[in-house]
Structures are given as structure tokens and as C-alpha cells.
Amino acid sequence: MSDNLYDVVIIGAGPVGLTAAGLLGHYGHTVAVIERHPSLYNLPRAGHIDHEIMRVVQLLGCAETFLTDAVACDTYTLKNGEGELLAEFPWSSAGISGWPSDFMMYQPVLEDALYSRAVDDPHVTFRRGFEVHGITTHDDYVEVHATAAASPDDFEGPAGDQQELIVRGRYLIGADGGRSFVRDWLGTEREDLGFSEMWLNADCRRKRPVAMDFDSGQWCDPRRPLTVFPLGKRHRRFEWALLPGETPEEMSKPAVAWELLSHLGLTSQDLSIVRQHVWKFEAKIAREWQRGRVFLAGDAAHTMPPFQGQGMCSGIRDVTNLAWKLDLVLRGISDAALLATYQEEREPNLRAWTTLSIETGRLTCTLDTEEAERRDKAYRNGTVEPMPQIPPLSGLVHEGPGAGELSLQSKVRRGDTVGLFDDVVGTGFTILSTVAEPASVLQAEQQAFLKALGAQIVYVGTDDSADITDIDGGYTRHLAERGWDVVITRPDFYVFGGGPLTGLGAMVDELAVLLKTKQTR
């Protein structure tokens, strides 16, 4: 089997690969997805997304399906081994992206939605059941060699021969997980950030309502740290740290999980175990995420402990960043040099989340009783060291306050249509002003450049003179707080820059230069 030349080949059809396929298909590019599993994996791994990722899910038209089972979080609770409340974190606040701050979810529901979106896109082709065994690079394309095992003669039909598959693409994204073939092929080393712990995971389906001391959070008990939280509306996750001397083989026995669940007052009358597995939590970052036309994304590029719920989220951020840049290059608007900014932009954010996840794990999950007592005392006294902060995006952004932050999504009205901005107006590059029509201060060449980008150029206000009505005044307040008349937002929802309307032309010119486009002055 040999395919025509695709714009992008993606290896791996997990949530990161599916998101990449959906986004690139949305941009109108042909995509081939190669996956070794013949069907969706259908077991949970990640259990959380935040409002930023929810906005990507919205862009792909998957929000309604996802929300049938997802749970918007309320409070995340920390208690010590004696049941003393250490801290409560309110997670029910509205995120700037237009959605609640955090969701707990059952991953197969998300994957089903992402897969349905991608498989229905005529730009996207799936090749399932194929194991990749070779990659060859050429000057203007990449060639992937894969094999499907011979099928046996059984009740489903006669035996089938082994199939060989060759797929060619202008670019290749390796989204093939922590044991990535693509990363091994690149030969890139991974930096080990020095975190390694073994935890038992039991994902359970609820048979009836389950009463817990708290819905989401951690028992910071040095005798055995425990994490509990819902996986959507029908499932729950329980995670216990392995103690010294315990082995994955021993802890993987069903009797062990039931014994630990019994300490929480739970039995087989309450739950059924969907998956029991010992995970090794590690923090490793590939040193090279791109070589020529080949890219790494998600767990293939980085892994982190789960204590901030940002592993899968970070992978989706990867491909959201990469997809719009590939779009500009494939459309001939930007030079291929733009793609070098992928790792430059993504790694600082990923490294910050990884550091925060490590520090959270070390603080809350220590097995040292003396260290745990010092931690508890610090919580009581309000002297806990502040956690590392996530910096704003740096790279292809305008210098100035607010640049590199996530952009606001609020409710608007256009004509008789009311909804969140992306659904009503659209996505991509956006020029939004709350004082006047942005195009009124732009030269013809600048408007032509923005048209080539496919940018949305809108005046959002509270009166009838505006293109779009700012229903709750969200945009008016948000820009006024920052002293802006206008803001430029990138397709990955990060702010390029904001400022006075009189400075918009200069910002547009700067954007053109940074994108290395053929429209530069």
C-alpha cells in the first residue's frame, strides 16, 4: 500500500495526535494518521484538562460531547494523615478562556469525541493497526514505513497477509507516547529532572453514589500518600504511592487494590475496577523536538509527574502551537524558519509546569514523617514556600505588559447569534478593538496581509455601532484594565500584543516580520 503525498503525517492516535489531526484538518491540510492499535485504546490515562485545553476542544467542535460526562471541578483539598485540613484550592472559578477553570474527565470520552471529529474530516486519513518501523527523510518530504501483522484464519474471516504501508508527508509529527519510535529514530537524548516514583492506580466505575471525605484532592499521609478524584460523572480514580520494598507485580494484584479501597470504606458493592496499573512517574524532557521536517509532541517530547494534571494538557498545547505554524508554512505565507520557534516557545512553559508538578509531588507526597510534620506546621502557620509560577509565553509576541498571556473569550452577540466569541466570530489570528473599527487605522497592505492570514478583524463594543456586542462587558473591562484599545491574538489563543489603536499598524508590521512572511516591509 502506498499513499499520495500528504501535508502532514502523524504517528500516534492518542489525544495529542488526534488533536493535531483535527487542527490541521480544520486548517484545510491533508493528514495521514498512523496508529499501531487497530481501535481506540478505550482505557483512561489522563484525568484532567483546564480551560485553555477546553477552548481547543471547543474549536474542534467536541465540547458538547465532552461535557456529557466531564465534571467541572469545585475544590481541590489537601489533608494530612490525621485528617487535618492543610489547604483548599478553589477550582470552580471561571477561566479566562470562557470555561470553568478545571475539568475532571474520563479520557475515552474525550478521545471518542476527538476521533469522531477527525475521522469525519475529508482531509484526514487513518491507517490503524500499523506499526512504524522506518522513517526516511528527503529534501522536501518524509517517508514512513509501517507494517500490519498478518491476521489469523478465524470466525471473522480467512487469514490475511502481512501488509506493508508507505506513507509520505511534507512534515511528520511523532505523537507516539513515552516510548516513542520517532524519538528513538531521532536519537535525541532526554534530560532527566530527577523525579521517579511508583504509584498504584485504580480506575473504577461507580455502581452507586460514593461518599468521600472530599471529592478531589490528596491525603498527604507519609504512611501512604493517596490521591482521589472523579474521572467524569461515572468513574473515580484512586492512586496510592508504593512503599519501599513493594513491587509493581505485587501491587498489580486485584486483591491489593480492594484491600486499599476497603480502608476508604469502599467495596465491590460500590465500585468495579476498570483498570489497575502501576505507573512510574518521571520527569524527562527531550533535548531536541525538531529535526528538519520531523517533530516530537506530547509524551514523545516530555513526561512529567501527574500532580498538576498537566501531562496531556502540555501535549495538546504542543500541537496547538505547532499546527498554526505548519499551516502558515504549508500555505506559503511564512518561511519554514518559523517552525524553529516551536520548541523555543513551548519548552519554557512545559519546563515550568514540570517543575511545578515535581515540587507539588515532593511537598504533598513525602514518605518522611519528620518532613511531613514540618510541612504540616508550615501550612498551619501560613509559611509554605510559594510554588513556581508559569511564565507568559515568550517568542513570537510583541514586547509589553500582557503579551504572551492567554486571551479572553467572553460571550458576544452578532445579529441574532449569541454565544462564546469563537463560536460566533471564529478563530485564528484576531484583531479586536473595543473603541473603533481596527481596519480604520490600517493601510491597504496591512489589511491584505491580515486577509492572507485569515485574521478576524472586529470591533467589539456595548452599543449598536460595534460589529459585535460585548454582552457582559467582558472585553471592555479586560482591555481597559490593561490600558489597551486593541489586542492581537494568535491562533493558539495567546496574546501577541495590545496597546492604543494608533499603534496597531506598527504591531501588524512587527507580526509580519516575526512570522518571517513574504509581506514584510
Side-chain angles (χ1 to χ4, degrees):
M1 295 171 61
S2 179
D3 285 303
N4 295 326
L5 183 68
Y6 291 90
D7 290 325
V8 181
V9 176
I10 299 167
I11 300 177
V16 173
L18 291 172
T19 300
L23 289 171
L24 289 163
H26 169 77
Y27 292 139
H29 302 294
T30 57
V31 180
V33 183
I34 305 174
E35 167 57 47
R36 63 189 181 93
H37 291 291
S39 60
L40 292 176
Y41 190 58
N42 205 35
L43 286 173
R45 284 90 73 209
H48 163 268
I49 69 169
D50 59 25
H51 58 94
E52 178 185 356
I53 305 308
M54 187 61 196
R55 194 171 180 183
V56 179
V57 173
Q58 174 194 353
L59 184 158
L60 293 174
C62 300
E64 184 176 354
T65 302
F66 176 74
L67 290 174
T68 60
D69 190 65
V71 174
C73 300
D74 184 17
T75 302
Y76 196 81
T77 302
L78 302 181
K79 288 188 176 182
N80 66 14
E82 309 309 316
E84 177 185 3
L85 179 65
L86 300 179
E88 285 186 314
F89 302 99
W91 277 13
S92 58
S93 60
I96 194 172
S97 306
W99 296 95
S101 174
D102 295 88
F103 290 89
M104 295 301 190
M105 55 106 189
Y106 189 64
Q107 184 173 327
V109 175
L110 174 63
E111 287 190 6
D112 285 348
L114 293 173
Y115 178 69
S116 295
R117 164 66 177 83
V119 79
D120 286 343
D121 190 323
H123 298 98
V124 180
T125 300
F126 280 88
R127 298 289 186 235
R128 286 194 163 277
F130 285 90
E131 188 88 36
V132 174
H133 58 78
I135 298 172
T136 306
T137 58
H138 301 268
D139 288 344
D140 54 357
Y141 70 95
V142 180
E143 188 172 271
V144 179
H145 296 255
T147 303
S151 60
D153 186 358
D154 57 21
F155 67 91
E156 292 185 351
D161 294 335
Q162 177 176 288
Q163 295 184 65
E164 295 294 331
L165 176 69
I166 299 173
V167 182
R168 301 179 181 90
R170 291 182 172 85
Y171 293 95
L172 168 67
I173 300 174
D176 50 341
R179 299 178 182 177
S180 169
F181 174 87
V182 180
R183 187 185 64 240
D184 288 346
W185 174 83
L186 286 174
T188 183
E189 295 181 353
R190 289 192 291 173
E191 177 186 356
D192 191 334
L193 276 65
F195 187 96
S196 181
E197 288 191 6
M198 304 290 284
W199 282 62
L200 171 64
N201 175 302
D203 291 330
C204 303
R205 185 180 178 101
R206 290 189 294 107
K207 295 181 177 179
R208 59 188 183 186
V210 172
M212 305 288 295
D213 280 12
F214 49 80
D215 194 52
S216 299
Q218 292 179 309
W219 290 99
C220 306
D221 187 348
R223 292 168 294 191
R224 189 187 295 275
L226 164 67
T227 302
V228 300
F229 56 87
L231 290 177
K233 297 174 182 175
R234 298 169 294 165
H235 298 81
R236 289 199 67 87
R237 172 166 291 173
F238 303 86
E239 294 176 326
W240 300 268
L242 267 63
L243 303 179
E246 293 179 337
T247 65
E249 294 75 19
E250 171 193 356
M251 299 300 288
S252 296
K253 296 176 181 177
V256 172
W258 286 119
E259 172 65 22
L260 292 170
L261 286 167
S262 72
H263 298 162
L264 301 172
L266 300 171
T267 71
S268 59
Q269 300 297 311
D270 303 297
L271 308 163
S272 61
I273 297 177
V274 174
R275 187 187 198 200
Q276 180 175 338
H277 186 74
V278 173
W279 292 101
K280 186 176 184 180
F281 298 157
E282 294 183 306
K284 294 183 177 181
I285 303 175
R287 299 188 186 279
E288 184 181 19
W289 298 15
Q290 176 195 4
R291 185 178 303 165
R293 296 177 176 270
V294 179
F295 301 85
L296 298 177
D299 284 358
H302 44 74
T303 57
M304 71 175 74
F307 301 111
Q308 287 288 327
Q310 288 293 328
M312 185 189 71
C313 292
S314 293
I316 291 177
R317 289 189 189 96
D318 291 346
V319 294
T320 306
N321 180 293
L322 180 58
W324 71 262
K325 295 173 181 177
L326 282 169
D327 170 51
L328 295 188
V329 173
L330 287 166
R331 286 199 283 140
I333 293 174
S334 292
D335 299 326
L338 176 68
L339 302 174
T341 66
Y342 163 57
Q343 182 175 355
E344 292 173 2
E345 288 197 333
R346 282 293 306 127
E347 187 172 349
N349 176 276
L350 177 278
R351 192 172 288 272
W353 275 118
T354 305
T355 300
L356 181 57
S357 298
I358 291 171
E359 292 305 314
T360 303
R362 286 175 176 163
L363 177 68
T364 60
C365 303
T366 179
L367 301 179
D368 186 311
T369 55
E370 293 183 359
E371 184 179 339
E373 178 54 36
R374 288 192 294 270
R375 173 203 64 205
D376 295 353
K377 184 177 180 180
Y379 271 115
R380 294 186 197 107
N381 298 337
T383 58
V384 177
E385 290 290 328
M387 284 292 189
Q389 298 298 303
I390 307 301
L393 182 88
S394 60
L396 301 176
V397 294
H398 174 71
E399 289 188 9
E405 296 178 352
L406 281 171
S407 63
L408 175 70
Q409 181 180 212
S410 190
K411 283 188 176 181
V412 296
R413 179 173 63 244
R414 170 183 270 171
D416 296 329
T417 304
V418 175
L420 289 172
F421 182 93
D422 296 351
D423 293 332
V424 174
V425 179
T427 56
F429 281 97
T430 302
I431 319 296
L432 183 154
S433 174
T434 54
V435 298
E437 293 285 354
S440 66
V441 299
L442 295 175
Q443 299 174 6
E445 288 183 348
Q446 293 164 338
Q447 293 189 47
F449 162 62
L450 293 173
K451 183 178 180 180
L453 287 183
Q456 312 288 341
I457 306 175
V458 293
Y459 170 26
V460 177
T462 55
D463 57 42
D464 294 338
S465 65
D467 303 330
I468 309 295
T469 303
D470 189 7
I471 292 177
D472 302 321
Y475 288 103
T476 303
R477 289 191 300 273
H478 186 75
L479 269 66
E481 288 168 359
R482 286 154 179 76
W484 296 344
D485 298 331
V486 65
V487 61
I488 301 179
T489 301
R490 305 179 350 163
D492 53 5
F493 310 121
Y494 284 87
V495 171
F496 172 75
L501 192 60
T502 54
L504 177 60
M507 272 204 298
V508 170
D509 289 343
E510 181 186 5
L511 177 64
V513 171
L514 288 174
L515 294 182
K516 302 177 175 65
T517 72
K518 299 170 184 177
Q519 310 283 338
T520 55
R521 308 293 180 268

